[in-house]
Amino acid sequence: MSGIYIHIPFCKQACHYCDFHFSTSMKKKDEMILALAKEIAMRKNEFELLDSAGNNNQIETIYFGGGTPSVLTTEEINLLIRTVYDNYKVVENPEITLEANPDDLSTERILELSKSPINRLSIGIQSFYEDDLKMMNRAHNSVEAINCLTEATKYFDNISLDLIYGIPGLTDEMWKKNIETALSFGIPHISSYALTVEPKTALKKLIDTGKIAEPQDEVASNHFMILVDMLQKNGFIHYELSNFGKENYFSKNNSAYWLGKKYIGIGPSAHSYDGKKRGWNIANNSLYLKSIQEDILPIETETLTLSDRYNEYIMTGLRTIWGVSLERIENEFGLNYLTYLKKQSQKFLDDDLVFIENNILKPTAKGKFLTDGIASDLFYLNLEE
């Protein structure tokens, strides 16, 4: 199974914390839709019909990310979905996700989307507090957040929402209230991330000039533990570091990425992966459009070394409930890698940050918030290929 990710590089306004590729000018939106459709068609032969295991390489997921995909009209979204169906073999009931902001989800728009092939919404709530939304420069307000969830749950069963923790001034009690509000809508999936300060963002500048306090790791850690505890008590499975889903509501698109499945990334800055090579499109709207119009794919690629693939498996495996299989490490990467992994992980085993069960290496509850740091210490950087 494979997936197609479609990057929509437009937003109404720039969130202060965001470092993704997007433009706040919609002037080239029509031109971009046609280019995205053309790239979808241009890459239809990129995946072999059968993978190495002899399985049909059908498209299982279509994911509209960004940017803000909900700035597209439903007609434009349907055009891109039709283009996928016209050029690829798609499974009978694919997961088709649209990332959307609350200000784009009026009752009329939600009803319209419910009649389209979109069957999963990922809604960027981030916080139900007005002060938080203003500080982050979100395009929606708290009333719109509540209203869109009230309406969306009437028409969509499969909904995910995003929440951000570790926001300066967000107390533990306020954070609990955010989670309680999300739970009150019966949402089956929640993605939650710590507020991070990326270079060259407005948030970084506001912190450097003293206008906003710097996020504190201790606060974020407390919020994370509260999140894990509350969601697990409400029947959510913590299946990836930042993702929680009810049974049968894990994101198929994201799970495929963590499990190392193939995917094609369409649009400026989008990434692709075929199991051996990784590619990324140019992160410039004008240059992307020019290249596609000239029938040239604006993509750079790199062939992953054995160490690259090992490191990626360590990073993604530790972040998920599936963990890192020691048997797979030995079979796929060799005894040297297994020996190295066991040696490097010993200190984390001693500190009760990871454990081994059924030959699977996983982080403990205490180690989950530190997963990325642990993974980096397990990376193999100097092995001869």
Side-chain angles (χ1 to χ4, degrees), residues 160-221:
S160 177
L161 63 79
D162 289 355
L163 291 175
I164 292 178
Y165 57 87
I167 299 171
L170 185 70
T171 66
D172 288 355
E173 288 306 311
M174 291 169 69
W175 175 232
K176 289 177 184 177
K177 184 64 177 176
N178 259 345
I179 300 169
E180 288 169 357
T181 303
L183 291 172
S184 71
F185 290 98
I187 301 296
H189 190 281
I190 292 175
S191 296
S192 192
Y193 309 89
L195 181 66
T196 54
V197 184
E198 302 293 347
K200 300 179 182 179
T201 59
L203 179 60
K204 179 71 165 68
K205 186 174 182 180
L206 289 167
I207 289 172
D208 288 346
T209 55
K211 294 179 181 177
I212 292 178
E214 188 167 4
Q216 300 298 311
D217 289 344
E218 184 178 353
V219 172
S221 178

Side-chain angles (χ1 to χ4, degrees), residues 212-377:
I212 292 178
E214 188 167 4
Q216 300 298 311
D217 289 344
E218 184 178 353
V219 172
S221 178
N222 287 340
H223 286 180
F224 177 77
M225 298 308 293
I226 290 169
L227 176 74
V228 171
D229 181 59
M230 289 183 67
L231 293 188
Q232 288 183 339
K233 285 179 178 176
N234 281 273
F236 284 79
I237 300 167
H238 189 193
Y239 72 101
E240 193 273 339
L241 183 64
S242 302
N243 287 270
F244 304 77
K246 294 284 185 72
E247 196 77 50
N248 300 318
Y249 286 96
F250 295 0
S251 167
K252 291 181 181 178
N253 173 82
N254 293 348
S255 296
Y257 163 71
W258 297 315
L259 292 171
K261 295 185 180 181
K262 301 177 182 181
Y263 58 89
I264 292 177
I266 302 294
S269 81
H271 283 60
S272 303
Y273 176 69
D274 70 359
K276 295 181 179 178
K277 296 193 300 295
R278 187 168 302 288
W280 54 95
N281 284 355
I282 192 167
N284 180 295
N285 287 4
S286 296
L287 293 178
Y288 170 83
L289 290 171
K290 182 176 184 294
S291 184
I292 294 295
Q293 287 161 0
E294 294 174 353
D295 299 321
I296 299 171
L297 289 174
I299 188 170
E300 289 185 55
T301 60
E302 66 169 340
T303 299
L304 300 177
T305 65
L306 193 65
S307 293
D308 290 335
R309 287 188 277 122
Y310 163 87
N311 291 341
E312 289 206 2
Y313 177 49
I314 294 295
M315 175 60 79
T316 55
L318 278 184
R319 289 178 63 99
T320 70
I321 59 171
W322 302 289
V324 174
S325 166
L326 301 186
E327 182 179 4
R328 177 180 168 184
I329 292 292
E330 183 173 8
N331 292 341
E332 193 170 324
F333 303 103
L335 186 58
N336 285 348
Y337 281 89
L338 179 62
T339 302
Y340 177 83
L341 175 59
K342 286 182 175 179
K343 179 182 176 182
Q344 290 297 106
S345 61
Q346 189 58 53
K347 58 185 174 183
F348 300 115
L349 288 163
D350 295 340
D351 292 338
D352 192 33
L353 295 176
V354 299
F355 68 102
I356 297 175
E357 185 177 67
N358 298 323
N359 220 24
I360 303 292
L361 179 71
K362 296 181 180 181
T364 62
K366 188 169 72 169
K368 279 185 178 178
F369 189 70
L370 306 172
T371 296
D372 289 349
I374 294 171
S376 67
D377 272 8

Side-chain angles (χ1 to χ4, degrees), residues 112-165:
E112 198 176 72
L113 287 169
S114 72
K115 297 176 180 178
S116 78
I118 297 292
N119 53 31
R120 184 175 184 270
L121 293 178
S122 177
I123 305 175
I125 299 293
Q126 314 309 355
S127 177
F128 291 100
Y129 291 103
E130 199 66 39
D131 287 347
D132 291 346
L133 298 173
K134 287 180 179 177
M135 185 275 286
M136 293 185 284
N137 200 39
R138 295 290 295 168
H140 71 279
N141 57 46
S142 57
V143 173
E144 287 171 324
I146 296 292
N147 289 345
C148 85
L149 289 174
T150 301
E151 294 303 310
T153 49
K154 294 177 182 177
Y155 300 98
F156 284 87
D157 169 60
N158 198 351
I159 296 175
S160 177
L161 63 79
D162 289 355
L163 291 175
I164 292 178
Y165 57 87

